[in-house]
Amino acid sequence: KKGLVKRDVVRIVTPGTVMDEKALEQKENNYIISLAIEKDTVGMTVADISTGYFSIMQTTTKHYTQTLIDELARIHPAECILPEELYNNAEVLGILKKERDMNIFPYALWKRFADDAKQVLTSHFKVATLAGFGVHDKPVALKTAAALLGYLQETQKGTVDHIRKITSLPTGECLLLDRSTMINLELFATLRDHETKGSLLSVLDTTVTAMGGRLLKQWLRKPLATAPAITLRHDAVAELVTNASVRTTLSEQIENVNDIERLISRLAVGLGNGRDIINLTSSLKTILEVKKLLSKLTSPLFQEIEHMISSELHDTIVYVQKHIVPEPPISIREGHMIQQGVHQELDRLRKIVAGSRDWIIELEKKEREKTGIASLKVRFNQVFGFYIEVSKSNLALVPAVYMRKQTLVNAERFITPELKEQEEIILTAEERINDLEYTLFQEVLQHVLSKVAILQDAAESIATLDCLVSFAHNAEKNNYVRPTLLTTGEIKITNGRHPVVEQLLENTQFVPNGVTLDDKSQLLIITGPNMAGKSVFIRQVALIVLLNQIGSFVPAEQASLSIVDHIFVRSGASDVITSGLSTFMVEMVETAHILHHATDKSLIIMDEIGRGTSTYDGISIAWSVAEYLVSQQKNPKTLFATHYHELQVLEERYPTQIRNFHMSIVSEKEQPIFLHTLAPGGASHSFGVAVAKLAGIPDSVIGRAKELLQELEQRNQSSDGEHSKSVSGDSGVVVPPPQNDKLSNFINTEFDQIDISTMTPLEALNTLAKLKENLKKLA
């Protein structure tokens, strides 16, 4: 640039405001959140500046810790901004810091925007009231929205007009999944390797656009919870399954659609160029073809999608094609973008430049003839402008009128008054051309951005269609069936399959299993050895319910499913050392969360509860939890997998609610053969030593384990023969035989006063602790 270069900060790039395509995953949202907590109210705004997504959440809870943990697990934000006083809250900051790779930033201007939240938001969205968005009654969330909007405007050094609407998902319209459930069901990544391969997403995602891939993840994070919304998706998938030719054509067309959401965002914040606009219009042409195809489909959801694709897109395509050349350069400052005939002055200047090129050719020819220098050249470069170049061997022939401009090793460069005058004409014209083209490009850009609302609707329609086509493709390919929606609270699955495990089995046929959960089979106690398939079975039930509520068909022969409001999965055990939580404490915290929040519409998956402590402690807790789940007014449907065979007596105590099932196994030459089939009744053995042998434990260890197992079993049988079983009331809990009179009296006295059926889990834990302390005194 001639003269001084203007210097300024034109954009601030943070983890949550990245716009560079190379730094973003195509099928991943790049979320930034803002957070506020006032008394018992949590407000949060979630945005993705790269797509224009902007949504708020407000909830009132005394347990905001769990709310934050669950939301962070759903969103996985790249950045979080919050007021300075909240940043200084050690508890909140500790929760936020557990989220990997999230930048946490105390925003100094928070109060300025939050205090005037309604004005900030109504001004940006150009509305008189926020009631139309359905968010006017969420004051804490609105503060976070205003602060985040201010932060985005500050980092982008201007408006972010592609954020055109603010959304809020009302409570009750989505199925709730907490952090533990999402992790244990391996929705997005495997537990062991944290890889996408082997997750539910890896099986479901056959989308062909980045927008569809991102939307599918949103559907998985917040499944539907209302029958009309689920039915809309089921109807659409069913029509695509039966109309394979239209489905194939739709998929081929959709695949040609670029990432419109991010193209619009790049253009809106000033990062776009002519190629982005051409790619956008190319996609719009395809979308209009898709609109024609949708007219052949009759499902209500397809009619909604067709309606979302505005016919005005055609006008935008025509406008852009009239103004922008088909293959514009990347730079928007160097011309060659605008079509001929758009601007009269631009056309005139282009003629001057084009004529000057001919004039240069004529000048070179004329000067060669005049001087007799056959190698004479007339050239141009960005540094020295126009010049006449003569080799040093011909310098004696150079006329006096030539003025030296530059000396090279083998040549000299000259300028003449005539060439200097023409240079001014050409360079002035080219500079004016570039300025005019840039101005005209900005006009085209503003025209396109004025259509952001209909462009974003078109993008949303393609993303939705992509997900539905993906569901239909999976249904046909993997033999999924349409589930029947019930209102009775029942869950009935015939020959259900685990959607991921069946895909991972290469040479083995997956063994399907069915289940019925209703008022007479509210809680199923499932026993059987390790490796027999308990965990796969109980998870497949949860995944089938989940797939139903995102609108997908399900892997089963038949499924009749009631809508659930919450899926809870308590499975496995792991320390959270950085938080000072042991394996058992994590297990108990998650169990407490389930017991506090489950309703009669919830589905609970409990896998090996009580394994993180001593045998009697574990049995007591598992027993008490199982009783609690069938003895309260809220009776959630529960699958309870356990190795505690003692729990099987609960079927006798609660014959109208609890059922025993086991995973079938055949023993051949002391080696278990797993049938992976669910059967009524309880199991009698866990075959732990046999499974240890299969895992490769040394033979000497296996041999010793068998000796100890036999000795312990004989001792237990002998003890049973010599002593009567001491029972707590009529609960059926087996207690070790008394060793002396003092101990006998203590057991008879203390245990007669305990009624497990009326205890809460916390009371059971406290009672166990007290008994343990008193027993130590007797020892």
Side-chain angles (χ1 to χ4, degrees):
K1 181 175 174 65
K2 296 177 181 178
L4 294 175
V5 177
K6 181 182 178 182
R7 301 183 183 191
D8 195 7
V9 176
V10 295
R11 180 168 289 103
I12 300 170
V13 182
T14 69
T17 61
V18 174
M19 298 289 285
D20 184 0
E21 289 181 341
K22 295 178 181 178
L24 294 172
E25 291 289 336
Q26 282 193 337
K27 289 190 174 184
E28 290 278 359
N29 282 99
N30 189 50
Y31 289 124
I32 178 172
I33 67 171
S34 59
L35 175 68
I37 300 175
E38 296 184 4
K39 295 182 180 179
D40 293 337
T41 302
V42 177
M44 181 185 293
T45 296
V46 184
D48 182 352
I49 192 174
S50 74
T51 65
Y53 179 84
F54 199 81
S55 183
I56 70 169
M57 180 208 79
Q58 180 173 308
T59 183
T60 301
T61 174
K62 293 182 179 179
H63 307 286
Y64 70 80
T65 298
Q66 189 63 45
T67 299
L68 288 182
I69 290 172
D70 292 344
E71 286 302 320
L72 290 173
R74 265 190 285 273
I75 300 165
H76 285 305
E79 186 169 7
C80 172
I81 68 165
L82 63 170
E84 291 186 353
E85 61 269 22
L86 199 59
Y87 183 80
N88 294 324
N89 183 315
E91 183 181 13
V92 172
L93 192 62
I95 296 169
L96 295 175
K97 284 188 174 180
K98 291 176 186 176
E99 183 65 23
R100 294 183 304 168
D101 304 322
M102 182 177 73
N103 185 58
I104 306 168
F105 180 64
Y107 187 35
L109 300 180
W110 180 285
K111 187 173 174 57
R112 178 200 296 180
F113 292 104
D115 287 350
D116 200 17
K118 288 189 177 179
Q119 174 58 34
V120 170
L121 295 170
T122 53
S123 175
H124 173 81
F125 292 109
K126 297 178 176 61
V127 294
T129 173
L130 298 172
F133 295 123
V135 300
H136 59 289
D137 57 346
K138 297 176 171 60
V140 180
L142 291 180
K143 290 180 181 179
T144 65
L148 183 54
L149 197 58
Y151 180 74
L152 294 178
Q153 290 170 344
E154 183 185 1
T155 56
Q156 302 309 302
K157 297 297 179 181
T159 59
V160 281
D161 288 338
H162 65 296
I163 297 176
R164 299 299 293 265
K165 63 181 178 180
I166 181 170
T167 61
S168 173
L169 196 62
T171 304
E173 290 194 7
C174 68
L175 162 63
L176 299 176
L177 303 169
D178 57 32
R179 177 181 180 275
S180 175
T181 298
M182 286 186 284
I183 291 174
N184 284 309
L185 288 181
E186 299 181 304
L187 299 186
F188 305 105
T190 57
L191 268 168
R192 181 168 184 154
D193 302 320
H194 305 290
E195 297 287 339
T196 301
K197 184 179 179 181
S199 69
L200 179 64
L201 181 68
S202 68
V203 172
L204 280 189
D205 189 6
T206 56
T207 57
V208 294
T209 70
M211 298 180 293
R214 292 194 296 267
L215 182 62
L216 177 58
K217 288 184 178 179
Q218 292 176 24
W219 284 6
L220 272 172
R221 291 185 181 109
K222 292 198 171 182
L224 301 170
T226 61
I230 296 171
T231 301
L232 272 178
R233 291 185 189 172
H234 281 168
D235 287 344
V237 174
E239 187 170 9
L240 288 174
V241 169
T242 57
N243 202 334
S245 61
V246 173
R247 184 180 78 237
T248 301
T249 307
L250 279 173
S251 182
E252 291 170 351
Q253 292 280 18
I254 292 170
E255 195 170 5
N256 294 323
V257 177
N258 293 296
D259 194 342
I260 297 175
E261 291 176 335
R262 285 187 170 162
L263 281 176
I264 295 169
S265 299
R266 283 172 50 80
L267 291 169
V269 299
L271 293 177
N273 55 42
R275 292 186 184 180
D276 288 330
I277 290 182
I278 291 298
N279 288 336
L280 176 62
T281 53
S282 172
S283 296
L284 297 184
K285 289 180 188 177
T286 302
I287 292 174
L288 289 177
E289 291 299 317
V290 169
K291 182 179 175 71
K292 293 177 184 176
L293 283 170
L294 289 173
S295 64
K296 298 179 181 179
L297 301 172
T298 59
S299 297
L301 186 51
F302 290 132
Q303 293 173 7
E304 285 184 21
I305 294 172
E306 183 185 1
H307 182 70
M308 287 175 67
I309 301 174
S310 172
S311 298
E312 290 184 41
L313 296 179
H314 177 73
D315 299 335
T316 301
I317 295 169
V318 171
Y319 182 88
V320 170
Q321 288 179 334
K322 178 184 176 182
H323 288 78
I324 305 295
V325 298
E327 295 183 8
I330 293 176
S331 173
I332 59 175
R333 294 281 187 177
E334 297 175 9
H336 309 293
M337 295 182 296
I338 305 300
Q339 292 273 26
Q340 195 76 15
V342 170
H343 193 278
Q344 189 174 356
E345 175 65 9
L346 178 61
D347 292 344
R348 186 185 71 82
L349 292 169
R350 282 174 170 170
K351 284 180 181 179
I352 292 174
V353 172
S356 296
R357 292 194 186 100
D358 294 335
W359 184 88
I360 294 295
I361 295 171
E362 284 298 321
L363 176 66
E364 184 178 79
K365 182 180 178 182
K366 183 177 71 173
E367 291 299 317
R368 283 180 178 178
E369 292 175 354
K370 185 193 297 185
T371 61
I373 305 172
S375 61
L376 181 146
K377 300 173 185 176
V378 179
R379 294 289 183 268
F380 171 85
N381 68 35
Q382 294 287 345
V383 178
F384 293 99
F386 285 96
Y387 56 84
I388 298 172
E389 185 173 292
V390 179
S391 61
K392 288 202 171 182
S393 59
N394 292 308
L395 288 180
L397 300 175
V398 171
V401 72
Y402 281 20
M403 297 176 286
R404 183 174 280 104
K405 193 170 189 177
Q406 183 187 13
T407 300
L408 303 178
V409 175
N410 298 316
E412 294 280 351
R413 290 176 176 174
F414 301 90
I415 189 76
T416 66
E418 184 183 17
L419 184 56
K420 182 68 176 174
E421 182 182 349
Q422 194 65 29
E423 179 185 62
E424 286 294 325
I425 293 172
I426 295 172
L427 294 183
T428 302
E430 288 188 339
E431 185 177 351
R432 177 64 180 143
I433 286 170
N434 292 344
D435 289 343
L436 261 178
E437 288 214 27
Y438 178 77
T439 301
L440 291 169
F441 174 79
Q442 292 301 319
E443 290 178 6
V444 174
L445 178 60
Q446 291 309 310
H447 177 87
V448 171
L449 293 178
S450 70
K451 308 295 182 181
V452 163
I454 64 172
L455 294 174
Q456 289 179 335
D457 283 347
E460 184 181 344
S461 69
I462 292 301
T464 304
L465 193 55
D466 195 8
C467 289
L468 296 173
V469 170
S470 180
F471 285 172
H473 172 78
N474 290 331
E476 184 177 73
K477 177 186 174 186
N478 301 325
N479 194 27
Y480 291 179
V481 299
R482 177 176 183 168
T484 301
L485 294 184
L486 302 177
T487 57
T488 58
E490 297 171 287
I491 294 174
K492 296 181 179 179
I493 300 170
T494 303
N495 288 333
R497 312 185 306 277
H498 194 293
V500 181
V501 175
E502 73 168 346
Q503 298 297 321
L504 297 178
L505 295 176
E506 294 179 357
N507 301 315
T508 308
Q509 183 73 26
F510 185 90
V511 179
N513 281 294
V515 68
T516 296
L517 290 167
D518 53 26
D519 292 339
K520 295 181 180 179
S521 301
Q522 180 212 323
L523 186 147
L524 305 188
I525 293 177
I526 303 168
T527 50
N530 291 306
M531 298 294 293
K534 297 192 305 296
S535 295
V536 169
F537 168 69
I538 59 179
R539 281 170 175 77
Q540 86 182 29
V541 173
L543 289 174
I544 287 172
V545 170
L546 175 67
L547 287 174
N548 170 52
Q549 292 190 216
I550 65 171
S552 170
F553 284 13
V554 301
E557 183 180 307
Q558 188 176 356
S560 300
L561 308 170
S562 296
I563 296 172
V564 304
D565 61 2
H566 207 144
I567 296 177
F568 296 96
V569 179
R570 153 93 286 273
S571 176
S574 59
D575 293 328
V576 184
I577 297 172
T578 55
S579 299
L581 300 181
S582 67
T583 300
F584 184 61
M585 190 61 177
V586 171
E587 184 179 340
M588 290 299 99
V589 167
E590 292 181 359
T591 301
H593 174 68
I594 293 172
L595 298 182
H596 282 301
H597 293 89
T599 73
D600 56 351
K601 293 182 179 179
S602 300
L603 174 64
I604 299 176
I605 306 297
M606 286 206 164
D607 198 358
E608 305 298 349
I609 187 174
R611 301 294 289 181
T613 185
S614 68
T615 302
Y616 286 113
D617 279 357
I619 292 174
S620 301
I621 293 169
W623 187 301
S624 179
V625 167
E627 285 192 330
Y628 182 89
L629 290 171
V630 296
S631 60
Q632 303 299 306
Q633 290 183 348
K634 302 178 294 184
N635 296 322
K637 304 298 182 291
T638 305
L639 296 176
F640 203 105
T642 182
H643 280 289
Y644 293 137
H645 298 151
E646 295 84 351
L647 268 61
Q648 293 172 154
V649 300
L650 285 170
E651 183 184 58
E652 300 174 9
R653 183 161 188 182
Y654 299 91
T656 61
Q657 293 167 283
I658 296 179
R659 293 282 183 275
N660 286 330
F661 283 84
H662 70 281
M663 303 308 294
S664 301
I665 189 170
V666 176
S667 180
E668 185 175 310
K669 297 180 180 179
E670 297 186 356
Q671 292 297 322
I673 299 175
F674 304 115
L675 302 180
H676 303 295
T677 302
L678 186 73
S684 57
H685 298 286
S686 287
F687 292 93
V689 175
V691 172
K693 184 176 181 180
L694 291 174
I697 298 293
D699 289 342
S700 59
V701 176
I702 297 297
R704 178 58 177 157
K706 286 181 178 178
E707 292 174 5
L708 292 171
L709 178 62
Q710 186 176 7
E711 182 181 333
L712 290 170
E713 286 178 340
Q714 288 174 350
R715 187 181 300 174
N716 185 55
Q717 291 171 0
S718 173
S719 173
D720 286 347
E722 294 174 6
H723 301 280
S724 60
K725 295 178 182 178
S726 178
V727 178
S728 171
D730 60 348
S731 68
V733 178
V734 179
V735 180
Q739 301 299 315
N740 55 50
D741 291 339
K742 261 188 177 182
L743 187 59
S744 177
N745 291 333
F746 171 79
I747 290 173
N748 290 331
T749 302
E750 293 291 332
F751 277 77
D752 280 345
Q753 299 174 8
I754 298 173
D755 185 1
I756 293 178
S757 64
T758 62
M759 280 186 172
T760 66
L762 183 59
E763 289 171 342
L765 286 171
N766 290 335
T767 301
L768 280 171
K770 182 180 177 182
L771 288 171
K772 188 175 180 180
E773 186 178 339
N774 290 337
L775 280 169
K776 283 182 180 178
K777 294 177 182 178
L778 291 174

